[in-house]
Amino acid sequence: MELLKRYEGNPILTPDRWPYPANAVFNPGAVEFRGEVLLLVRVEDFRGFSHLTIARSPDGYSDWEISPEPTLSPDPEYAEERWGLEDPRIVWLPDREEYAITCVSFSKGGPVVSLITTRDFREFSRHGSLVPPEDKDAALFPRTFRGRYALIHRPIIRGEAHIWISFSPDLRYWGEHRVLLPVRPGWWDCHRVGLGPPPIETDEGWLLIYHGVRVTASGSLYRVGLALLDLDEPWKVVRRASTWILGPREDYEFRGDVPGVTFPTGTVLRGDELLVYYGAADKAVCLARASLRELLEFLRREG
Ligand code: BMA
């Protein structure tokens, strides 16, 4: 049984139907905003730099209305944004009554995670980078734990690319760093792992959708896996599925700038239906859906 079912209308967003010249549109943040699905899409221009642009749809599947110009472009005042903004993840922070966007900004020192907040997706406040480079694939939890914000991210340390969790009292000073989900030598997720969309709160724990990389003779394969974290102590992994639930298969997942990539970065939950937005082959935005209940059952069985 297929847990994540691809939408028949895939890819839902492509560079040739973008309102201005773009080489690739992919790896979007996703959120439900004012009754619509709002995607903050990574757009790569023909210099090879990325910025973020909003696309909205009333149902999350079709009728996408794309902003005619970039929503968030790299700001020259912020040195870390020199070579662009990439791969945003979006979370609503109820205590601050604003959205937290964690994206990768590309500095001279390497990729690093930046925090940008907004209430309305029109005006944005920049908070700079969170932890030193090299770091990527980050999202905050939508709530605090014993008064501390928690960040999942993927630093590269001594060449190792595991998923980490860190804590902060104020979103500025970060500590209590721990490895959360390591790569598994020999497995499909042996070379690199990184968080996908922000963690999803369920009765059984925080559902993590992550990508795992295996390097092969003809390039890297980016597939998608699942894990479950303890609800109150999210540094504890309760379950981790052994098999991937989505991987490159369709033409649009092989035909692009980086063939063999499925890279989820945003979800929208409607009742039991989970819409998962992912970048395909670093070229286009795609959609797959799952039943949240089925994903949790699968983790109970396979985790
Ligand atoms: C990762 C990120 C993603 C990209 C993926 C596949 O390291 O840079 O933006 O989609 O590689 O190229």
Side-chain angles (χ1 to χ4, degrees), residues 26-27 42 86-87 136 154 192 222 258 261 263 282:
F26 56 124
N27 302 0
R42 171 179 174 189
E86 306 179 354
D87 303 356
K136 278 185 176 186
R154 207 285 307 281
R192 282 191 293 283
Y222 280 71
V258 186
V261 177
F263 199 90
D282 284 10

Side-chain angles (χ1 to χ4, degrees), residues 81 120 169 192-193 210 235 241:
E81 298 183 10
D120 54 11
R192 282 191 293 283
V193 287
Y210 71 96
W235 55 90

Side-chain angles (χ1 to χ4, degrees), residues 49-296:
F49 304 155
S50 294
H51 60 266
L52 310 177
T53 295
I54 287 176
R56 304 165 197 264
S57 153
D59 61 2
Y61 289 90
S62 54
D63 296 324
W64 293 95
E65 192 191 308
I66 303 162
S67 157
E69 44 196 61
T71 307
L72 258 171
S73 292
D75 183 339
E77 300 278 303
Y78 289 77
E80 71 273 15
E81 298 183 10
R82 184 179 176 114
W83 290 317
L85 296 173
E86 306 179 354
D87 303 356
R89 275 77 164 183
I90 310 171
V91 165
W92 171 250
L93 299 178
D95 60 326
R96 296 172 59 107
E97 296 190 349
E98 59 183 355
Y99 293 94
I101 303 165
T102 39
C103 60
V104 173
S105 47
F106 230 102
S107 73
K108 272 172 116 177
V112 66
V113 172
S114 287
L115 173 65
I116 300 173
T117 54
T118 185
R119 295 213 152 124
D120 54 11
F121 291 94
R122 283 170 179 273
E123 283 178 42
F124 298 89
S125 310
R126 283 169 153 86
H127 304 266
S129 54
L130 299 182
V131 277
E134 171 171 355
D135 202 10
K136 278 185 176 186
D137 301 322
L140 289 167
F141 284 74
R143 66 171 168 90
T144 52
F145 303 89
R146 298 177 197 155
R148 287 185 151 75
Y149 294 96
L151 178 78
I152 295 186
H153 57 129
R154 207 285 307 281
I156 295 200
I157 296 170
R158 292 188 310 259
E160 293 172 26
H162 312 299
I163 297 176
W164 288 64
I165 188 166
S166 303
F167 292 85
S168 168
D170 55 7
L171 292 176
R172 195 175 164 81
Y173 297 99
W174 292 91
E176 298 174 59
H177 311 289
R178 293 183 180 90
V179 172
L180 181 67
L181 213 68
V183 297
R184 291 185 288 199
W187 295 61
W188 61 272
D189 49 2
C190 57
H191 285 115
R192 282 191 293 283
V193 287
L195 179 71
I200 301 161
E201 189 165 8
T202 77
D203 295 344
E204 298 182 30
W206 295 95
L207 178 67
L208 274 202
I209 302 176
Y210 71 96
H211 64 261
V213 181
R214 164 172 265 167
V215 180
T216 76
S218 52
S220 296
L221 287 170
Y222 280 71
R223 300 181 176 117
V224 181
L226 291 180
L228 196 70
L229 310 180
D230 185 88
L231 217 42
D232 300 312
E233 301 183 325
W235 55 90
K236 293 183 181 159
V237 179
V238 183
R239 296 191 179 96
R240 180 174 184 175
S242 51
T243 59
W244 68 83
I245 57 160
L246 183 83
R249 187 185 78 193
E250 302 299 319
D251 248 21
Y252 50 78
E253 291 157 352
F254 281 103
R255 220 171 283 198
D257 287 4
V258 186
V261 177
T262 51
F263 199 90
T265 37
T267 59
V268 166
L269 183 62
R270 285 183 174 159
D272 181 54
E273 186 188 43
L274 187 70
L275 303 179
V276 179
Y277 296 92
Y278 66 100
D282 284 10
K283 198 50 144 184
V285 176
C286 289
L287 168 62
R289 357 165 210 194
S291 142
L292 185 63
R293 185 182 42 79
E294 281 177 16
L295 293 182
L296 293 171

